[in-house]
Amino acid sequence: MKGTRVIVFGDMVADIYLDGRISRISREAPVLVLEEMGERVVAGGAANVAHNAATLGGAVCAFGILGEDAGGAGIASVLSRAGVDTAGLLATSERPTISKTRVIAGGRATVSQQIVRIDKESREPLSSALAEALEVRLLQALAHVDAVILSDYGSGTVTQGIRERLLATCRERGVPTIVDSRYGVRSFSGIDYVKQNDAELAAAFERRLDTEDAIEEAARALITELGAKGALITRGEKGMMLFLADGARHEIPVSDKSEVYDVSGAGDTCVAAFILALAGGANPLAAARLSNIASGVAVRKFGTATVSAAELKAALMR
């Protein structure tokens, strides 16, 4: 996986953690007054995929839209420190950086916990000029990469036009692709591999998937509809299922059930590890097994987390 060149394109999200210590009850309203103790910006969404791909050893180029604000600057800083090429992150005054601000409150005798989350993003579509600039840079970069990840959180970065031309060019050049799409996976015709959790897959087909056979039926319908090579379906504590276009079905149990702390961002770790392994020469089943182990490391960390190559090696040894 080391040195594998990968593009990560999608909705760049700033996960902002605002830590506060409970000082008193406000006299203005029955609410806590927090003394601010610190603020952290963590790469979320597609930015977390890029961050994970980099810490796992990949040579990563990130493409997406940032606002000219603190959240955008925070994402660019985090990714740059991890060695990600951020030249494809376009900063604009047209829209804010997609952000999720979590206020964490605690005290000397209390456990810190999240008390509110504040989301910010633009609901307006990308301007034609911004979309064109992003597309031009993406297509130029394809000449120098081994794989492409599309990370679609439904915030409008992955437009239909960019998606269609990007996937068509990847197919022409034999560049493997994978998509992780929260709400619109059925629109990614021409993709090679799909990563979905079982709830997202059920929502995509608007039906319950209560059995493994029902999951397989939906996954195979998705593979056929998109012309894909395979679908990786994550199932939380039940592990993963990998379905391939040749009819193969593989069930991959959870690698380590101990100390599951936080599942935030584990899907990002999964998709990054899978495509890096695949582009590095692993077959789909081996890539899925590696991604399962990497995800098992991620869920034992608090918040949106990354997994390093050293941590993955240690987990493999165990």
Side-chain angles (χ1 to χ4, degrees):
M1 294 162 71
K2 186 177 181 180
T4 299
R5 300 167 301 175
V6 60
I7 281 175
V8 178
F9 165 52
D11 296 312
M12 300 289 159
V13 179
D15 280 333
I16 303 171
Y17 292 86
L18 182 61
D19 296 306
R21 184 168 61 194
I22 300 169
S23 115
R24 63 184 186 279
I25 302 296
S26 173
R27 288 182 292 181
E28 301 169 1
V31 296
L32 299 174
V33 174
L34 302 183
E35 178 184 348
E36 185 174 335
M37 302 301 293
E39 182 175 320
R40 308 175 277 129
V41 178
V42 178
N48 189 43
V49 179
H51 199 188
N52 269 277
T55 58
L56 285 166
V60 185
C61 301
F63 288 83
I65 305 297
L66 301 178
E68 295 178 346
D69 50 30
I75 288 175
S77 176
V78 169
L79 294 185
S80 294
R81 290 198 303 271
V84 175
D85 182 343
T86 58
L89 297 180
L90 303 185
T92 177
S93 59
E94 294 180 11
R95 56 206 297 124
T97 302
I98 305 163
S99 65
K100 300 175 182 179
T101 301
R102 298 165 174 87
V103 179
I104 312 296
R108 292 180 180 176
T110 60
V111 175
S112 292
Q113 64 182 36
Q114 182 180 156
I115 60 171
V116 67
R117 194 180 94 178
I118 306 162
D119 290 2
K120 179 173 66 176
E121 67 177 282
S122 173
R123 297 295 181 183
E124 296 297 318
L126 293 186
S127 68
S128 56
L130 202 55
E132 183 178 351
L134 188 56
E135 182 180 330
V136 167
R137 294 193 184 195
L138 263 170
L139 296 183
Q140 288 175 342
L142 281 181
H144 310 289
V145 298
D146 302 307
V148 173
I149 301 171
L150 293 92
S151 183
D152 174 29
Y153 278 74
S155 296
T157 306
V158 187
T159 68
Q160 179 180 348
I162 297 176
R163 176 179 70 238
E164 290 176 351
R165 285 182 283 274
L166 177 62
L167 292 179
T169 306
C170 286
R171 276 282 169 103
E172 290 172 7
R173 299 183 181 182
V175 177
T177 57
I178 188 170
V179 64
D180 185 3
S181 178
R182 181 160 293 181
Y183 305 111
V185 69
R186 295 177 69 180
S187 63
F188 285 82
S189 180
I191 198 77
D192 287 329
Y193 292 91
V194 174
K195 181 268 169 189
Q196 292 272 275
N197 63 40
D198 48 5
E200 291 165 343
L201 184 64
F205 286 93
E206 298 181 334
R207 65 174 186 257
R208 295 173 64 89
L209 302 176
D210 295 329
T211 66
E212 292 182 350
D213 287 344
I215 291 172
E216 179 171 9
E217 181 182 353
R220 295 211 177 280
L222 189 60
I223 289 171
T224 300
E225 185 176 331
L226 301 182
K229 297 178 181 179
L232 182 62
I233 312 301
T234 58
R235 306 177 64 212
E237 73 281 0
K238 296 180 181 178
M240 300 177 177
M241 299 182 77
L242 174 67
F243 304 99
L244 300 177
D246 63 8
R249 164 177 165 167
H250 302 284
E251 298 177 22
I252 306 168
V254 170
S255 59
D256 185 354
K257 292 185 178 181
S258 66
E259 300 178 14
V260 175
Y261 192 73
D262 192 336
V263 298
S264 301
D268 299 332
T269 305
C270 169
V271 74
F274 179 84
I275 200 67
L276 276 175
L278 195 72
N283 63 49
L285 177 56
R289 286 174 171 163
L290 278 172
S291 73
N292 183 50
I293 294 169
S295 299
V297 175
V299 299
R300 293 195 293 276
K301 299 183 178 185
F302 174 74
T304 305
T306 59
V307 176
S308 70
E311 288 173 320
L312 180 55
K313 286 181 181 179
L316 282 166
M317 291 300 293
R318 287 195 299 272

